[in-house]
């Protein structure tokens, strides 16, 4: 039996660490020795400066003190990295033009097995200089974003501010876009949902379909629907059914579970 893969986990959520450790134990094609679990950039940099035994790193992108990519600007990383991320499906396009592995949280066992198979196949053959250059380029793609924190809306010949956490959902109706608050009040807003989707934090809001952009906190129930689709029950109740397509259902469940 080949020696255990000495593995460093860089992650700031205990639940994610426990899930990853559990899935690694179940893999049939390799054994792992978890040599350390670290949750901050500063501690990782210090560790890597004195470590020369790590075979593989699992690295969360978003850590307690910044983006994991910053590590590569402060210390030379000598081993392959598999990134773990909860970023939305559009941000993940950045990875697809590179040869770097990533896993979307919550980690899917089959995707983990595929990543480890690729690691074992490529072990000792990576173009290290090119690999690090790719990671630094990804750091630019994943630089911190500033998301919308409020809306300024017209109300009875005046204007008022609505905090983003007061928003239940936004929807299209009769060629207009409406914002509905959690208290049931609603307002016309001068935006397209496509633009709002880019302006809002993807961890807080989900584009359910062409008509609805919903807040995580407004979703009460999720029910199976015909042909693999899902139907969302929200509060306050929407004027029509909010249906998630079969194509988006898998990603929605991952988003809802994280």
């Amino acid at each position: 039996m080949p020696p255990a893969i000495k593995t460093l986990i860089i992650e700031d959520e205990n639940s994610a660490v426990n899930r990853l450790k559990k899935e690694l134990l179940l893999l049939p094609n390799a054994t792992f020795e978890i040599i350390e679990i670290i949750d901050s950039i500063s501690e990782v940099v210090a560790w890597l400066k004195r470590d020369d035994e790590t075979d593989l790193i699992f690295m969360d992108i978003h850590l307690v003190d910044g983006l994991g990519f910053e590590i590569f600007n402060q210390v030379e990383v000598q081993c392959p990295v598999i990134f773990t991320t909860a970023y939305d499906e559009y941000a993940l396009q950045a990875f697809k033009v590179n040869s770097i592995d990533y896993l979307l949280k919550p980690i899917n066992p089959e995707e983990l097995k595929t990543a480890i198979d690729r690691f074992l196949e490529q072990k000792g053959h990576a173009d290290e200089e090119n690999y690090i250059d790719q990671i630094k380029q990804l750091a630019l793609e994943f630089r911190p974003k500033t998301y919308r924190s409020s809306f300024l809306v017209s109300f009875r010949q005046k204007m008022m501010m609505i905090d983003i956490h007061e928003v239940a959902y936004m929807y299209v109706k009769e060629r207009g876009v409406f914002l509905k608050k959690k208290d049931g009040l609603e307002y016309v807003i001068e935006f397209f949902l496509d633009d709002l989707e880019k302006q809002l934090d993807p961890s807080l809001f989900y584009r359910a379909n062409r008509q609805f952009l919903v807040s995580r906190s407004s979703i009460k129930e999720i029910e199976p629907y015909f042909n693999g689709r899902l139907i969302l029950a929200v509060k306050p109740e929407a004027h029509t059914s909010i249906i998630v397509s079969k194509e988006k259902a898998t990603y929605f469940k991952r988003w809802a579970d994280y």
Side-chain angles (χ1 to χ4, degrees):
M1 175 179 285
I5 299 168
K6 294 184 178 181
T7 304
L8 171 63
I9 297 178
I10 304 172
E11 171 63 69
D12 60 359
E13 294 186 20
N14 289 334
S15 60
V17 171
N18 292 335
R19 187 189 295 244
L20 176 57
K21 289 169 66 176
K22 177 182 177 181
E23 295 299 340
L24 288 175
L25 287 173
L26 296 175
L27 288 176
N29 55 337
T31 56
F32 298 83
E33 177 188 349
I34 309 301
I35 56 176
E36 192 63 79
I37 298 167
I38 306 177
D39 66 359
S40 71
I41 292 170
S42 57
E43 291 183 34
V44 171
V45 170
W47 167 272
L48 291 176
K49 283 182 177 179
R50 64 177 185 268
D51 170 73
D52 60 0
E53 296 185 353
T54 305
D55 297 316
L56 175 65
I57 296 174
F58 285 92
M59 182 185 294
D60 185 14
I61 289 177
H62 199 268
L63 301 171
V64 292
D65 54 351
L67 291 179
F69 295 116
E70 286 301 312
I71 292 165
F72 298 88
N73 294 324
Q74 299 182 42
V75 66
E76 186 173 355
V77 179
Q78 301 283 358
C79 67
V81 177
I82 297 176
F83 290 99
T84 58
T85 175
Y87 277 82
D88 69 287
E89 58 187 330
Y90 303 106
L92 288 175
Q93 294 298 321
F95 279 107
K96 294 183 179 179
V97 298
N98 293 278
S99 60
I100 299 167
D101 270 316
Y102 70 89
L103 296 170
L104 185 64
K105 294 179 181 178
I107 291 173
N108 178 286
E110 287 301 316
E111 292 174 358
L112 175 61
K113 182 180 183 302
T114 298
I116 295 302
D117 286 343
R118 187 177 295 116
F119 160 74
L120 294 172
E121 290 172 5
Q122 297 178 352
K123 191 174 181 181
H125 300 288
D127 182 340
E128 182 177 319
E129 183 177 349
N130 183 53
Y131 180 80
I132 298 301
D133 285 345
Q134 290 180 43
I135 291 175
K136 289 181 177 179
Q137 180 59 39
L138 282 177
L140 298 176
E141 299 284 348
F142 281 82
R143 59 190 180 274
K145 295 179 181 179
T146 301
Y147 295 108
R148 174 179 286 277
S149 60
S150 63
F151 287 91
L152 188 64
V153 300
S154 298
F155 180 68
R156 294 180 181 175
Q157 299 183 328
K158 296 181 181 180
M159 303 192 82
M160 61 181 291
M161 288 180 62
I162 300 175
D163 186 271
I164 201 67
H165 297 289
E166 299 179 75
V167 178
Y169 49 85
M170 286 146 283
Y171 66 94
V172 177
K173 183 180 180 182
E174 297 175 355
R175 298 185 181 180
V177 177
F178 295 80
L179 178 154
K180 193 146 193 172
K181 291 175 59 184
K182 293 175 181 177
D183 62 10
L185 297 177
E186 64 181 23
Y187 307 87
V188 177
I189 53 176
E190 299 297 325
F191 294 94
F192 294 107
L193 286 191
D194 287 348
D195 294 329
L196 289 173
E197 187 177 6
K198 298 172 185 176
Q199 296 174 20
L200 297 171
D201 186 340
S203 70
L204 300 179
F205 288 86
Y206 182 80
R207 182 70 179 272
N209 52 42
R210 292 182 180 180
Q211 288 76 39
F212 280 89
L213 184 57
V214 299
S215 163
R216 178 187 293 274
S217 59
S218 72
I219 300 172
K220 294 193 305 178
E221 294 179 346
I222 304 164
E223 297 182 26
Y225 199 53
F226 297 110
N227 297 323
R229 295 177 292 172
L230 302 172
I231 187 165
L232 309 183
V234 294
K235 184 179 181 179
E237 187 175 350
H239 67 281
T240 189
S241 297
I242 303 178
I243 297 173
V244 179
S245 69
K246 178 180 179 180
E247 291 71 24
K248 297 185 73 173
T250 298
Y251 178 75
F252 172 79
K253 285 189 238 183
R254 286 181 171 178
W255 176 86
D257 191 41
Y258 185 75

